[in-house]
Amino acid sequence: MTQPLSSYPAVNSVASRLPDPATPAAEACFHCGEAVPAGARYFILYQGVNQPACCIGCQAVGQTIIDSGNADYYRLRTDLPKTAEAALEELKNLKLYDLPEVQSSFVKSEGDLREANLILEGIVCAACVWLNERHLHQLPGVLAADINFSTHRARVQWDDSRIKLSDILKSIQDIGYLAYPFDSGRQEELFRKERNTAIRRLAIAGLGMMQVMMYAVPAYMAAEGTMTSDIEALMRFASLMLTTPVVFYSAWPFFQGAWRDLKLYRAGMDVPVALGVGAAYAASIYGTFIGSAEVYFDAVTMFVFFLLTGRFLEMSARKRSAEAAESLIKLIPAASMRLPGYPASREEEMVAAVKLVAGEHVLIGPGESFPADGCVVEGDSSVDESLLTGESMPVTKHVASNVIGGTLNLESPLVVRVEKVGSDTVLSGIVRLLDRALAEKPRLAQIADRVAGWFVLMLLLVAASVAGIWYLVDASRAFWITVSVLVVSCPCALALATPAALTAALGRLTRLGLLSTRGHALETLAHATDFVFDKTGTLTTGQFSLLDTEVLRGDREHLLAMARALEQGATHPLAAALREAAGSDVLAADNLSYIPGRGVTGRIDGKIYRLGAPGFLGDAPPPARFQDGVSLVGLADEAGVLVWFALGDTLRPQARQLIDELRDLGVRLHLYSGDRDENVAALARQLGIEDARGGMLPQDKLAAVRTLQQGGAIVAMTGDGVNDAPVLAQAQVSIAVDQGAEAAQAAADMVLLSSEIGRLADGVKLARKAQGVIRQNLSWSVFYNIIAIPAAAMGHVTPWMAGIGMSLSSLLVVLNAMRLSRISKN
């Protein structure tokens, strides 16, 4: 494992030490900013000019960046990299990351396609993100690379036949950064560092504010002529000394962000703050030295303190709102008890969970979490799956039961055969989907971002106009009024209004067992007018059993064995029921051809057989004696039907409650199924659904949904089978239910992890409440600025009051959004 960059000599991140890329630097290294040793003869060729480098490492890194077409990095960066000559070291153990047993813990594989989450160290500004993303996209074989600046997490997809992971990690190292597999503990450490830095900046600002106010209050309270000029000058110079670290340390992120935005030719949210703080500080210095009556040291320290307080509270609130994904990651235990000799030996050894491989056996005691997905081979117990699926009751597990990594064993020891580890587990898949939903911006968030960008430009124009008008009206008040206008505005609240609410709502939905995999899903679910349900496995449990048979030709047990052979590998609940009902006879079938929604054909012992719904078998009518509510499956050869199987299903316990609640919410309900018309009609009568259609093929469902959409409906589709995948993709928002086919879950915008289907109604209620919170946040942001900016322009708001207003505005938006994470399912 390579050492983190923090173990190498760090470079002070001070913007004044950034070398100027346009002119040769005489003393500082062009790449890292360190002093160039006397006699060093290392150069980096940039725009036709040889720039000095402090060592061969910086020379190699810098020239690699420029030669790869990424020279703009040196123009766009706002801070120095945290690597020097260490970036050049050849890290031989990078090749270890190409080993399958190493990749199994953090790489998702599908053929030659690979996907991994990495942490990048050395990221200090947005230019670093831009450089790494562009550099990775230029590598042959890299299919996608997305880096989250806030978490320093990178999601990388690549073709393993064209490029190896070690080559990707080495290429990142070549431009001066370090990448390693994502580790929640290390990410938590990075967050702690960020939080500690924020606390230090806040503490300096708070101490500076209190000390400056000690000098400012006597000056305000002293009667005219009672304070001598030398005492007043002393207090001003003392205030200057105390304010300087507040401006150049505590307020530095505002200047850094503003400079980055201006270099990228955009007006970001830090620009007006930096202008206000910088202008007030500069004017106060000028007033101190010339003896002017106006200085603003107290106002500068106060609104820097209040702004930092607001941002710190906002950061903490956003961290709590986004804890859903992080809490899922932490469910996997660090170690587990492995049984290397099982079943011949019961010898135990404690190993790290990441070292487990498929096929090994582990012993899970009461109160312990499962380290991976697997199958119980010994013991009986109950398992708490509430943190993962939202199930309110423990789930009984016995031999042959599947268990999910991260869930909690409650009662007695279980021996489990490991089947899936690392990125292949259910938990890892859920985290990937949740990460994708959080990364995608819905329409409202995109609009808010665009409005916030234009808002800053308009604010700067308004501030310039206010300055000009007040200069003509009362020049003595023009400056601090302009500063107040710059500071009091709050585009941060406008930009946070939507993502803060979505983050809180998605976290709450995940805890309820309803996983959103797309950014738009929550917004669309709130506006859904029509809910379309599949029948089998959705409103019913999908746990079929063979109730009756009518044999027309042949032996019943042999016919069941033929049915099992034809249904091998099929995921439909009817297929599972037939396989379970078959006896000990084992037959082999080949040339299998599945027709979604109808049945399967195949060859057994040289003869062609068909297994499926009555309409798939020709004109032979099913037996009239079978009652409504059962599903009929027939087996036929070239001569006709051999046997009819009658299979029964049961209604999900919360199905009636779900339908009633959705109806109360004003949603129109539809039941589209491939089952017999009689069965669908019977279920519709039981639940009170008026629009119920049976015998529908996938294309029929697709056409029906399109018809609803053409009539202006916003359709939410709920299904579980492979045949539901096309209509799930067609609906504006789609939900795949638990234990459904992978194709259905891949096509869906949301996945119900719990078997409690009533959570869908909770999801609709929460989605509508989230839209209400978003509207409240946006309304508050607009109302605040409509009131605050004119008030500041008219001189009714002082700079320190403006700082409080801006901080509280952003904080109020985040706290309002956090209410969504505490809404009960009722």
Side-chain angles (χ1 to χ4, degrees):
M1 184 71 181
T2 61
Q3 297 183 27
L5 291 183
S6 57
S7 66
Y8 298 129
V11 178
N12 294 328
S13 56
V14 180
S16 60
R17 296 175 55 235
L18 280 171
D20 183 358
T23 59
E27 299 177 350
C29 173
F30 179 71
H31 176 69
C32 73
E34 287 286 350
V36 176
R41 304 292 296 171
Y42 305 110
F43 297 99
I44 301 170
L45 184 61
Y46 177 79
Q47 295 183 349
V49 178
N50 279 327
Q51 303 285 359
C54 64
C55 63
I56 191 173
C58 284
Q59 180 190 45
V61 170
Q63 206 60 58
T64 299
I65 292 174
I66 294 168
D67 292 345
S68 63
N70 297 313
D72 278 350
Y73 164 71
Y74 291 106
R75 179 178 64 84
L76 298 174
R77 66 177 180 175
T78 60
D79 209 337
L80 295 169
K82 295 185 178 179
T83 59
E85 67 277 0
L88 186 68
E89 292 185 6
E90 185 64 33
L91 303 175
K92 297 180 181 180
N93 56 356
L94 285 180
K95 291 292 183 182
L96 294 175
Y97 289 123
D98 294 334
L99 299 176
E101 57 268 30
V102 176
Q103 290 191 2
S104 64
S105 64
F106 68 95
V107 176
K108 174 68 176 177
S109 303
E110 292 182 10
D112 287 331
L113 179 65
R114 302 284 191 273
E115 180 179 321
N117 281 329
L118 308 174
I119 292 182
L120 293 186
E121 283 204 15
I123 298 288
V124 293
C125 65
C128 298
V129 174
W130 171 86
L131 171 65
N132 278 276
E133 286 185 342
R134 180 167 175 173
H135 182 69
L136 288 171
H137 283 132
Q138 291 173 339
L139 298 177
V142 173
L143 307 178
D146 301 296
I147 300 173
N148 187 312
F149 175 61
S150 299
T151 62
H152 297 181
R153 285 176 65 176
R155 184 177 64 88
V156 182
Q157 289 183 335
W158 71 95
D159 184 344
D160 199 55
S161 64
R162 299 173 61 194
I163 189 171
K164 298 297 182 183
L165 178 58
S166 60
D167 297 327
I168 296 174
L169 300 179
K170 182 65 169 61
S171 71
I172 295 173
Q173 177 197 334
D174 287 343
I175 59 172
Y177 298 86
L178 184 67
Y180 49 83
F182 168 74
D183 179 272
S184 59
R186 190 166 293 185
Q187 187 182 41
E188 192 68 28
E189 180 182 348
L190 292 176
F191 173 75
R192 282 197 299 270
K193 289 181 180 178
E194 178 186 352
R195 185 175 182 274
N196 292 338
T197 300
I199 291 175
R200 285 195 297 270
R201 295 187 192 276
L202 184 60
I204 295 297
L207 290 172
M209 177 191 69
M210 290 187 291
Q211 294 300 318
V212 169
M213 289 303 298
M214 289 176 63
Y215 295 116
V217 170
Y220 289 144
M221 298 183 64
E224 186 175 355
T226 60
M227 181 176 291
T228 61
S229 59
D230 57 338
I231 295 298
E232 185 176 2
L234 177 62
M235 288 187 172
R236 288 187 175 186
F237 275 102
S239 297
L240 170 60
M241 295 177 63
L242 291 166
T243 303
T244 298
V246 174
V247 172
F248 287 100
Y249 178 70
S250 297
W252 187 248
F254 301 118
F255 293 106
Q256 204 172 31
W259 181 242
R260 179 185 66 238
D261 291 335
L262 292 175
K263 291 183 74 172
L264 294 172
Y265 305 106
R266 67 185 185 191
M269 299 175 190
D270 288 324
V271 172
V273 176
L275 282 175
V277 173
Y281 178 69
S284 299
I285 293 176
Y286 178 77
T288 298
F289 281 95
I290 69 168
S292 169
E294 297 294 335
V295 292
Y296 309 97
F297 293 122
D298 54 336
V300 169
T301 54
M302 287 183 73
F303 64 68
V304 168
F305 174 75
F306 288 130
L307 288 174
L308 290 177
T309 300
R311 288 201 174 186
F312 177 76
L313 295 174
E314 172 196 318
M315 176 184 69
S316 301
R318 283 190 286 111
K319 178 68 167 59
R320 287 195 297 271
S321 295
E323 281 178 346
E326 298 303 322
S327 62
L328 289 177
I329 294 172
K330 296 175 184 177
L331 290 177
I332 294 293
S336 184
M337 190 66 69
R338 182 168 62 186
L339 304 176
Y342 186 87
S345 168
R346 304 287 297 195
E347 180 183 356
E348 301 175 358
E349 63 176 2
M350 186 67 70
V351 297
V354 295
K355 292 186 177 181
L356 293 174
V357 298
E360 292 184 329
H361 293 82
V362 291
L363 176 64
I364 310 300
E368 296 178 357
S369 297
F370 294 94
D373 294 355
C375 180
V376 177
V377 297
E378 180 183 316
D380 296 281
S381 186
S382 60
V383 173
D384 181 2
E385 299 181 348
S386 59
L387 287 177
L388 190 62
T389 67
E391 291 282 2
S392 57
M393 298 294 293
V395 181
T396 301
K397 301 293 181 180
H398 47 76
V399 174
S401 295
N402 292 323
V403 294
I404 302 173
T407 55
L408 183 67
N409 184 23
L410 295 178
E411 295 176 352
S412 58
L414 293 174
V415 176
V416 175
R417 181 178 65 251
V418 175
E419 295 186 342
K420 292 182 179 180
V421 297
S423 60
D424 292 329
T425 62
V426 171
L427 181 61
S428 295
I430 292 172
V431 171
R432 279 196 303 273
L433 293 174
L434 186 56
D435 282 343
R436 182 177 69 182
L438 291 171
E440 292 180 354
K441 286 190 174 182
R443 180 181 55 85
L444 277 177
Q446 295 171 359
I447 293 174
D449 284 347
R450 288 195 295 268
V451 171
W454 284 105
F455 180 88
V456 174
L457 292 175
M458 293 174 61
L459 171 67
L460 296 177
L461 293 175
V462 169
S465 302
V466 168
I469 294 171
W470 273 100
Y471 184 79
L472 297 175
V473 174
D474 185 353
S476 64
R477 303 179 64 194
F479 182 78
W480 71 262
I481 290 175
T482 304
V483 171
S484 297
V485 171
L486 287 171
V487 175
V488 78
S489 63
C490 196
C492 296
L494 187 63
L496 284 171
T498 300
L502 289 177
T503 301
L506 290 177
R508 179 59 183 159
L509 277 179
T510 302
R511 289 191 291 273
L512 287 174
L514 185 59
L515 176 67
S516 177
T517 68
R518 299 289 181 184
H520 74 88
L522 195 69
E523 180 182 357
T524 311
L525 183 65
H527 296 106
T529 60
D530 292 69
F531 252 84
V532 176
F533 291 96
D534 176 45
K535 170 183 171 286
T536 303
T538 303
L539 292 177
T540 62
T541 62
Q543 297 174 352
F544 281 81
S545 60
L546 183 61
L547 303 178
D548 197 1
T549 58
E550 181 160 320
V551 178
L552 304 182
R553 290 183 288 132
D555 175 68
R556 179 181 181 275
E557 296 301 321
H558 184 69
L559 293 171
L560 278 170
M562 295 172 65
R564 178 172 62 182
L566 292 170
E567 291 285 20
Q568 59 184 327
T571 60
H572 196 280
L574 292 175
L578 288 173
R579 288 195 298 267
E580 186 175 347
S584 58
D585 292 346
V586 178
L587 299 176
D590 55 17
N591 289 352
L592 296 174
S593 176
Y594 294 94
I595 303 172
R598 303 199 66 185
V600 59
T601 64
R603 185 174 60 189
I604 300 176
D605 295 334
K607 294 182 61 177
I608 300 297
Y609 293 90
R610 287 174 294 163
L611 180 71
F616 182 60
L617 306 179
D619 298 330
R625 69 181 181 84
F626 290 130
Q627 61 181 354
D628 292 343
V630 300
S631 295
L632 286 179
V633 175
L635 175 64
D637 58 13
E638 295 176 352
V641 177
L642 296 168
V643 62
W644 291 103
F645 301 110
L647 299 107
D649 193 6
T650 56
L651 190 67
R652 284 184 183 259
Q654 295 184 335
R656 186 185 299 277
Q657 174 189 346
L658 168 66
I659 297 302
D660 291 342
E661 289 187 12
L662 289 177
R663 188 182 294 110
D664 292 340
L665 291 171
V667 176
R668 293 185 293 268
L669 302 170
H670 312 267
L671 177 58
Y672 298 163
S673 174
D675 201 355
R676 291 194 306 158
D677 288 330
E678 297 85 352
N679 297 345
V680 175
L683 181 63
R685 286 192 300 271
Q686 187 177 356
L687 295 176
I689 299 177
E690 295 182 1
D691 182 18
R693 312 179 197 180
M696 300 184 76
L697 300 176
Q699 54 266 36
D700 299 328
K701 294 183 182 180
L702 196 61
V705 167
R706 284 175 176 166
T707 301
L708 291 175
Q709 292 171 331
Q710 289 168 2
I714 299 176
V715 177
M717 173 67 195
T718 307
D720 76 318
V722 174
N723 61 325
D724 293 322
V727 69
L728 286 170
Q730 175 64 32
Q732 282 98 332
V733 61
S734 51
I735 304 105
V737 300
D738 70 312
Q739 310 302 323
E742 290 187 9
Q745 297 194 7
D749 302 313
M750 308 181 86
V751 178
L752 181 65
L753 302 174
S754 170
S755 63
E756 299 176 7
I757 198 170
R759 298 296 173 93
L760 289 181
D762 299 330
V764 175
K765 295 175 186 176
L766 185 59
R768 293 185 177 182
K769 289 177 181 177
Q771 294 303 302
V773 168
I774 290 172
R775 286 192 294 269
Q776 293 168 9
N777 285 349
L778 291 174
S779 300
W780 162 250
S781 302
V782 173
F783 173 78
Y784 166 81
N785 284 292
I786 288 176
I787 298 299
I789 294 177
M794 289 186 290
H796 299 312
V797 180
T798 62
W800 67 268
M801 292 171 61
I804 295 177
M806 179 180 179
S807 302
L808 290 180
S809 180
S810 296
L811 184 60
L812 182 63
V813 164
V814 176
L815 292 177
N816 189 42
M818 287 184 66
R819 293 189 303 115
L820 292 169
S821 64
R822 295 189 293 270
I823 291 176
S824 68
K825 71 171 186 170
N826 297 322

